[in-house]
């Protein structure tokens, strides 16, 4: 068995392409090798900034023989007096066999002749030469480009290709490349180690590259960087801020990791920690050093008790050049910090209130006015939301103030240069001007959550404005006529709706989204008469969008599918779901807990049986009181009376359910399962579908009201 190596050598690849390339190439190779019945033991794809490497271990020299069997004519037609007929001769000839090679087999329809054809396996060298150009051309990513005079596209220009089956070059051609890419056994070492490197054998590839400064294996490079940082000899009271995104980015920017330590002037610690950290991590890919056991204040105006005036850098240089590398990085960082300091000082010359007027000059979206007008819409929504959520008057006023200042820093010099600091730097400017901490914290956190795994605002003001901003975005973009579709969601509307639901669930806030949408669209119609809004249609679309987000979020929270369907499935109206989305989340959690405690199955069996019979009743699903629909004088057996008593006991729990009543209703239904079961199967059970119409309807009404009471929890018929 052999080893095949493909190395695609390029100019520096974008760091965010690596993981995508690995999965794409692995999938293409796996599919084609299996489809062609080529035996192999392992496929491995890895990347560095200058190369994509594929190795196929234990690859067979030939594909497997393809054995095919074909059924022919019946024996009675294929042979006459032991001699093949024209039918047998023609059938055998079709598969390049002599008639004597045909096999006779018994089938359920009698005796037939069969032909077995064997297509010999093809040389792997031939098959790979056909597959390789396709594997390379199928790789996709952002901003692919052409170079030279050819039409072939790739992430960056391909400069060389190594194609080896063991030690032999396996040639192939990529069409559309001009100049033509040379395919052979010549690779490139680390840029500082020389110009060319001959790969002797596919099996020696990784070792040969390691000797010339290239750690080809991406996983090994990542572990090396992580170990270098975590094992660096620094004060135990310091923690390197090496996040997973930064670690991955460094891995895909460096071929030979070298750790160096740099310093910066302590005067820069007068800048906020987020400013220093953003410059270091996002713009320079350095690793800041934080002091441990220090309580981090998100509104801190300086970094004196938070950061060390030191940083770590993962370089792609030679160990002999450490001093030059350190000096170069320190010089660059000093200039970036000086710029940030200048921008902050110039921003502080203008009050936050004055900056708000500048938002009039920034367009939010075509047809939706300026950012200033958007802020006004957010303020209107925040007033509406805080009233619905029953904030006290002081918090309503503070929430509106947060909304008012929520976007002022978008026209600051700092955010213009460092967009990552929007909200963050604005909150610090407000604190510097003497604004209250809770208002500043609301401005800081109103962008949260940025995703389902992100933290949520920590105070009510931030949560209220976060809700307002997301509602404004959804309503405005829908009013504008744009919708998310497939993977396209340029305004991140799905994330906005998710954020609304996550905040409501986390705060256990009861908010009628139907009412918010109703009131808002009437107001939007007044604001944008030129859009000619179809309110009815917009409401329907927005409500359905929220419904899908509820289901999607519940799935992300590992709520089982049948429980989601029982609470938020098609038997529950969209309007009912949006009357109180937190109610939906509470009931799914309650059912999950009941399933975990093995009480759900007991209840499900009885309620489902009752529901099937209740389908024959004409009583509305809203009826939960047995008094008006059940005639106790028609009871013939104790089980009917006991069933009625259960319904009477559960009735007050099924009216206007709240969190406590749901639990009591669930407990009451579970504790009554034996009584309910006896109605069907006990010694004194009854025949529900008796011929006596009055008795039958009376018993069906009992079961229907039981179903209706249980529907307050869920549609048990949807549970698996």
């Amino acid at each position: 068995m052999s080893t095949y190596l493909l190395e695609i050598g390029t100019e520096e690849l974008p760091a965010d392409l690596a993981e995508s390339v690995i999965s794409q190439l692995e999938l293409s190779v796996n599919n084609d090798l299996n489809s062609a019945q080529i035996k192999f033991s392992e496929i491995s794809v890895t990347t560095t900034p200058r190369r994509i490497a594929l190795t196929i271990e234990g690859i067979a020299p030939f594909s497997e023989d393809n054995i095919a069997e074909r059924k022919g004519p019946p024996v009675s037609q294929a042979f006459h007096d032991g001699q093949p007929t024209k039918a047998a001769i023609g059938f055998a000839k079709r598969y390049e066999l002599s008639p004597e090679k045909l096999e006779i087999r018994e089938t359920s329809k009698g005796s037939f002749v069969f032909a077995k054809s064997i297509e010999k396996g093809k040389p792997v060298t031939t098959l790979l030469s056909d597959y390789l150009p396709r594997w390379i051309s199928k790789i996709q990513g952002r901003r692919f480009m052409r170079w030279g005079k050819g039409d072939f596209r790739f992430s960056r220009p391909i400069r060389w290709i190594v194609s080896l089956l063991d030690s032999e070059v396996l040639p192939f051609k990529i069409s559309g490349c001009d100049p033509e890419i040379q395919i052979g056994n010549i690779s490139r070492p680390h840029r500082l180690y020389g110009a060319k490197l001959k790969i002797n054998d596919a099996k020696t590839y990784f070792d040969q590259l390691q000797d010339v400064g290239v750690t080809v294996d991406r996983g090994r490079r990542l572990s090396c960087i992580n170990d270098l940082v975590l094992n660096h000899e620094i004060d135990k009271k310091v923690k390197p801020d090496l996040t997973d995104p930064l670690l991955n980015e460094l891995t895909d920017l460096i071929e030979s990791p070298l750790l160096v330590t740099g310093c910066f002037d302590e005067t820069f610690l007068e800048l906020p920690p987020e400013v220093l950290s953003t410059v270091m991590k996002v713009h320079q890919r350095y690793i800041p050093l934080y002091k441990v056991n220090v309580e981090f204040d998100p509104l801190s105006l300086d970094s004196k008790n938070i950061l060390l005036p030191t940083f770590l850098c993962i370089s792609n240089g030679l160990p002999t050049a450490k001093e030059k590398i350190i000096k170069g990085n320190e010089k660059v960082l000093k200039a970036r910090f000086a710029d940030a300091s200048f921008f902050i000082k110039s921003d502080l010359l203008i009050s936050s209130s004055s900056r708000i007027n500048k938002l009039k000059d920034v367009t939010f979206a075509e047809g939706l006015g300026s950012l200033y007008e958007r802020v006004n819409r957010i303020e209107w929504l925040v007033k509406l939301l805080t009233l619905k959520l029953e904030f006290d008057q002081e918090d309503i006023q503070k929430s509106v103030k947060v909304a008012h200042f929520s976007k002022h820093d978008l026209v600051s010099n700092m955010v213009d240069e460092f967009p990552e600091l929007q909200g963050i730097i604005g909150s610090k400017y407000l604190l510097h001007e003497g604004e209250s901490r809770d208002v500043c914290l609301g401005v800081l956190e109103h962008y949260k959550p940025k995703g389902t795994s992100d933290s949520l605002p920590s105070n009510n003001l931030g949560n209220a404005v976060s809700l307002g901003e997301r509602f404004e975005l959804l309503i405005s973009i829908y009013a504008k006529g744009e919708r998310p579709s497939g993977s396209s969601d340029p305004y991140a509307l799905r994330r906005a709706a998710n954020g609304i639901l996550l905040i409501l669930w986390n705060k256990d806030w009861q908010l009628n989204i139907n009412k918010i949408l109703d009131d808002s669209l009437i107001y939007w119609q007044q604001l944008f008469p030129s859009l000619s809004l179809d309110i009815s249609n917009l409401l329907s679309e927005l409500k359905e969008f929220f419904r899908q987000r509820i289901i999607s979020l519940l799935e992300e929270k590992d709520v089982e599918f049948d429980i989601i369907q029982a609470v938020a499935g098609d038997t529950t109206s969209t309007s009912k779901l949006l009357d109180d989305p937190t109610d939906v989340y509470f009931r799914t959690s309650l059912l999950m807990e009941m399933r975990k405690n093995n009480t759900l199955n007991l209840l499900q069996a009885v309620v489902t049986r009752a529901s099937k019979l209740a389908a024959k009743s004409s009583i509305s699903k809203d009826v939960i009181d047995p008094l008006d629909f059940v005639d106790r004088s028609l009871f013939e057996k104790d089980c009917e009376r006991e069933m009625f008593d259960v319904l009477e006991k559960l009735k007050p729990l099924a009216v206007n359910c709240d969190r406590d009543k749901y639990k009591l209703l669930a407990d009451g239904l579970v504790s009554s399962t034996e009584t309910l079961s006896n109605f069907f199967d006990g010694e004194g059970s009854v025949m529900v579908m008796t011929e006596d119409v009055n008795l039958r309807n009376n018993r069906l009404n009992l079961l229907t009201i039981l179903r209706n009471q249980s529907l307050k929890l869920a549609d048990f018929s949807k549970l698996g």
Side-chain angles (χ1 to χ4, degrees):
M1 295 296 184
S2 300
T3 298
Y4 174 73
L5 165 69
L6 169 70
E7 183 191 57
I8 307 167
T10 68
E11 294 183 9
E12 270 71 6
L13 293 164
D16 60 1
L17 182 71
E19 292 182 79
S20 169
V21 164
I22 290 171
S23 59
Q24 289 181 63
L25 195 50
E26 280 181 346
L27 181 63
S28 294
V29 176
N30 218 340
N31 287 345
D32 283 341
L33 294 187
N34 287 321
S35 177
Q37 299 185 67
I38 299 172
K39 295 289 185 183
F40 63 93
S41 58
E42 185 180 1
I43 294 170
S44 174
V45 180
T46 190
T47 64
T48 80
R50 296 181 70 204
R51 67 202 80 222
I52 300 166
L54 160 71
T55 52
I56 308 173
E57 303 280 355
I59 192 168
F62 291 88
S63 61
E64 296 283 290
D65 294 344
N66 187 23
I67 301 173
E69 291 187 339
R70 297 290 184 269
K71 181 182 175 183
V75 172
S76 60
Q77 296 177 18
F79 294 95
H80 183 69
D81 294 335
Q83 297 300 312
T85 64
K86 287 183 178 180
I89 293 169
F91 177 67
K93 185 177 181 181
R94 194 185 312 159
Y95 297 102
E96 299 180 351
L97 298 173
S98 63
E100 293 78 19
K101 295 288 187 181
L102 296 176
E103 298 180 11
I104 298 174
R105 296 183 195 169
E106 291 294 327
T107 72
S108 60
K109 296 183 179 181
S111 298
F112 286 79
V113 295
F114 285 79
K116 181 186 286 185
S117 64
I118 301 176
E119 182 183 352
K120 299 297 289 182
K122 297 178 181 179
V124 161
T125 51
T126 302
L127 293 169
L128 286 178
S129 294
D130 291 338
Y131 287 142
L132 284 160
R134 190 165 76 210
W135 291 343
I136 295 172
S137 63
K138 282 178 72 176
I139 295 172
Q140 298 296 316
R142 295 188 301 118
R143 298 191 295 272
F144 270 37
M145 60 187 292
R146 293 193 297 265
W147 62 94
K149 297 180 180 179
D151 292 326
F152 182 78
R153 291 174 177 269
F154 205 69
S155 177
R156 293 294 183 271
I158 297 175
R159 296 310 186 197
W160 76 90
I161 288 180
V162 174
S163 176
L164 290 177
L165 188 63
D166 291 333
S167 59
E168 297 297 319
V169 173
L170 179 62
F172 63 91
K173 184 175 181 179
I174 300 177
S175 60
C177 290
D178 184 13
E180 185 176 336
I181 300 169
Q182 296 301 308
I183 295 170
N185 60 359
I186 303 301
S187 179
R188 305 288 188 275
H190 187 288
R191 285 194 182 277
L192 301 176
Y193 277 75
K196 294 183 178 181
L197 173 70
K198 178 182 177 182
I199 304 300
N200 300 322
D201 193 292
K203 294 182 178 68
T204 64
Y205 170 71
F206 288 92
D207 290 337
Q208 283 189 258
L209 265 296
Q210 190 67 54
D211 290 341
V212 289
V214 180
T215 303
V216 180
D217 186 277
R218 185 179 184 277
R220 185 177 171 189
R221 233 172 30 255
L222 186 146
S223 296
C224 175
I225 293 170
N226 193 52
D227 291 344
L228 283 171
V229 172
L230 296 183
N231 296 330
H232 180 62
E233 291 185 3
I234 55 177
D235 192 318
K236 296 298 181 184
K237 294 182 180 179
V238 174
K239 180 183 178 183
D241 186 20
L242 180 61
T243 59
D244 286 341
L246 179 57
L247 175 58
N248 276 290
E249 188 175 16
L250 289 170
T251 301
D252 297 318
L253 290 172
I254 304 295
E255 286 198 321
S256 181
L258 173 70
L259 179 71
V260 298
T261 305
C263 299
F264 57 86
D265 196 303
E266 289 192 21
T267 57
F268 288 123
L269 292 176
E270 294 175 2
L271 298 176
E274 295 88 351
V275 173
L276 301 182
S277 178
T278 298
V279 171
M280 285 190 274
K281 289 168 61 178
V282 179
H283 294 263
Q284 300 303 127
R285 283 90 174 183
Y286 299 158
I287 302 158
L289 298 176
Y290 279 82
K291 296 179 180 180
V292 297
N293 300 324
V294 173
E295 186 175 347
F296 180 74
D297 179 3
L299 293 174
S300 178
L301 296 173
D302 64 58
S303 306
K304 293 175 183 176
N305 295 316
I306 299 170
L307 283 166
L308 258 67
T310 310
F311 63 92
L312 302 181
C313 170
I314 300 297
S315 170
N316 202 35
L318 299 176
T320 53
K322 260 191 175 184
E323 292 303 317
K324 287 185 178 180
I325 294 169
I326 291 170
K327 287 182 179 179
N329 283 298
E330 287 179 343
K331 184 177 180 181
V332 171
L333 190 61
K334 179 180 180 180
R336 296 292 285 175
F337 282 169
D339 287 344
S341 179
F342 171 78
F343 292 139
I344 288 178
K345 289 175 181 177
S346 60
D347 281 340
L348 291 176
L349 295 175
I350 302 172
S351 70
S352 299
S353 296
S354 300
R355 245 190 308 274
I356 290 173
N357 283 325
K358 292 186 177 182
L359 294 175
K360 294 177 180 178
D361 301 325
V362 183
T363 300
F364 168 48
E366 186 180 353
L368 296 175
S370 66
L371 279 178
Y372 182 87
E373 292 168 303
R374 186 188 184 213
V375 168
N376 288 339
R377 295 194 294 270
I378 295 173
E379 287 184 49
W380 182 89
L381 273 163
V382 169
K383 289 178 187 175
L384 176 66
L385 289 163
T386 50
L387 285 170
K388 298 293 185 187
L389 293 169
E390 298 180 353
F391 279 29
D392 62 38
Q393 194 57 40
E394 183 181 359
D395 278 351
I396 290 175
Q397 291 174 355
K398 285 185 175 181
S399 297
V400 172
K401 181 178 277 191
V402 171
H404 183 69
F405 285 112
S406 61
K407 306 299 177 187
H408 79 94
D409 62 355
L410 293 182
V411 288
S412 68
N413 290 307
M414 275 300 289
V415 171
D416 185 53
E417 183 71 16
F418 303 103
E420 305 86 357
L421 294 174
Q422 58 184 296
I424 297 170
I425 201 67
S427 67
K428 294 178 186 289
Y429 288 164
L430 286 168
L431 188 67
H432 176 79
E433 294 170 10
E435 188 54 73
S436 65
R437 282 187 61 87
D438 49 354
V439 168
C440 295
L441 194 60
V443 171
L444 172 71
E445 296 184 337
H446 84 278
Y447 284 105
K448 295 183 176 184
K450 294 180 179 178
T452 53
S453 59
D454 190 24
S455 60
L456 299 172
S458 60
N459 72 5
N460 284 348
L461 312 185
N463 280 294
V465 178
S466 181
L467 289 175
E469 185 200 38
R470 283 154 177 76
F471 272 115
E472 191 282 332
L473 181 67
L474 282 164
I475 296 165
S476 292
I477 300 304
Y478 263 74
K480 184 174 181 282
E482 297 193 35
R483 310 285 184 271
S485 60
S487 60
S488 175
D489 188 7
Y491 290 98
L493 300 185
R494 295 187 184 100
R495 189 172 69 189
N498 286 350
I500 290 170
L501 295 169
L502 288 170
I503 287 171
L504 295 179
W505 292 352
N506 179 65
K507 298 296 293 183
D508 196 22
W509 279 345
Q510 294 174 272
L511 182 71
N512 189 329
I513 290 180
N514 293 307
K515 183 63 176 169
I516 298 299
L517 295 177
D518 287 342
D519 293 351
S520 298
L521 284 173
I522 292 170
Y523 182 61
W524 256 245
Q525 190 176 45
Q526 298 168 8
L527 290 176
F528 301 104
S530 61
L531 293 179
S532 302
L533 302 184
D534 182 343
I535 290 183
S536 177
N537 189 51
L538 275 174
L539 268 176
S540 178
E541 287 188 281
L542 281 164
K543 288 178 182 180
E544 181 57 28
F545 183 66
F546 267 107
R547 180 193 192 95
Q548 294 306 319
R549 289 297 91 209
I550 288 172
I551 292 171
S552 177
L553 266 186
L554 290 173
E555 288 173 349
E556 287 188 39
K557 288 183 172 292
D558 296 325
V559 177
E560 293 173 4
F561 179 76
D562 64 329
I563 288 180
I564 295 174
Q565 291 302 304
V567 176
D570 53 16
T571 55
T572 305
S573 71
T574 302
S575 289
K576 184 177 179 182
L577 285 181
L578 300 186
D579 278 345
D580 182 7
T582 305
D583 177 85
V584 176
Y585 182 60
F586 181 84
R587 284 186 288 129
T588 57
S589 302
L590 178 59
L591 291 178
M592 287 287 285
E593 185 64 28
M594 289 174 68
R595 177 164 285 172
K596 184 179 177 181
N597 296 335
N598 297 317
T599 56
L600 186 59
N601 290 343
L602 298 172
L603 178 58
Q604 178 188 346
V606 176
V607 173
T608 301
R609 193 168 177 183
S611 297
K612 289 178 180 177
L613 289 167
K616 304 176 187 298
S617 171
S618 59
I619 295 179
S620 164
K621 290 183 178 180
D622 296 328
V623 176
I624 58 173
D625 189 345
L627 280 176
D628 296 333
F629 291 88
V630 177
D631 186 349
R632 285 175 287 183
S633 67
L634 294 176
F635 291 164
E636 291 187 335
K637 296 188 178 181
D638 289 341
C639 67
E640 294 174 281
R641 297 181 185 87
E642 291 168 357
M643 166 78 91
F644 184 88
D645 291 342
V646 167
L647 299 181
E648 278 285 283
K649 181 180 71 174
L650 297 178
K651 178 181 67 177
L653 302 177
V655 178
N656 299 324
C657 284
D658 57 23
R659 306 293 182 267
D660 294 332
K661 284 186 178 179
Y662 281 133
K663 185 68 171 66
L664 293 172
L665 178 60
D667 291 343
L669 284 165
V670 170
S671 65
S672 303
T673 50
E674 184 177 350
T675 301
L676 303 176
S677 296
N678 287 338
F679 185 83
F680 295 111
D681 303 316
E683 290 184 8
S685 61
V686 296
M687 170 68 71
V688 176
M689 301 306 292
T690 180
E691 292 183 6
D692 186 315
V693 175
N694 291 329
L695 288 179
R696 182 171 68 238
N697 288 338
N698 206 50
R699 290 166 183 171
L700 283 174
N701 289 349
L702 277 170
L703 296 175
T704 302
I705 291 170
L706 170 64
R707 181 213 51 197
N708 292 352
Q709 291 179 347
S710 69
L711 280 173
K712 296 295 182 178
L713 281 176
D715 182 352
F716 283 80
S717 67
K718 296 289 187 179
L719 296 176

